[in-house]
Amino acid sequence: QVQLVESGGGSVQAGGSLRLSCAVSGYTYGSGLMGWFRQAPGKGREGVAAIYPGGGATYYADSLKGRFTISLDSAKNTLYLQMNSLKPVDTGMYYCAARLSRVVPSALLGPYNYAYWGQGTQVTVSS
């Protein structure tokens, strides 16, 4: 059974950094896809970044390129999201997610395309 457990969230001032971690168990990387998503209060869940564990290709929401970095340490079974230059608009619950197969490029950051989810970790950025 696939289990994903996020950690590393917290409160930070604008301009600061956080690194989120997602502990992965029961998941065979193979040709699957993993991603980070976030949900601000009163808004829908949006894709932040995705990575193909097999080849290492990464994808980002256009608005976040250059500030966020997704990475995977397969030896530690941990997915990371490094977030720099944080802004108040980055506030929200952050989730890691996974699926077992590839998707078309347009679906990489679509939350409905992922089958497995963690419980989320809260990120709060103050001005």
Side-chain angles (χ1 to χ4, degrees), residues 32-49:
L33 176 67
M34 303 190 76
W36 284 98
F37 295 79
R38 67 184 183 184
Q39 187 165 15
K43 295 188 176 182
R45 195 167 296 187
E46 65 170 344
V48 172

Side-chain angles (χ1 to χ4, degrees), residues 33 52 59 99 101-110 113-114:
L33 176 67
Y52 277 114
Y59 308 87
R99 57 173 287 133
S101 59
R102 302 178 70 86
V103 295
V104 296
S106 61
L108 284 165
L109 296 179
N113 297 305
Y114 289 74

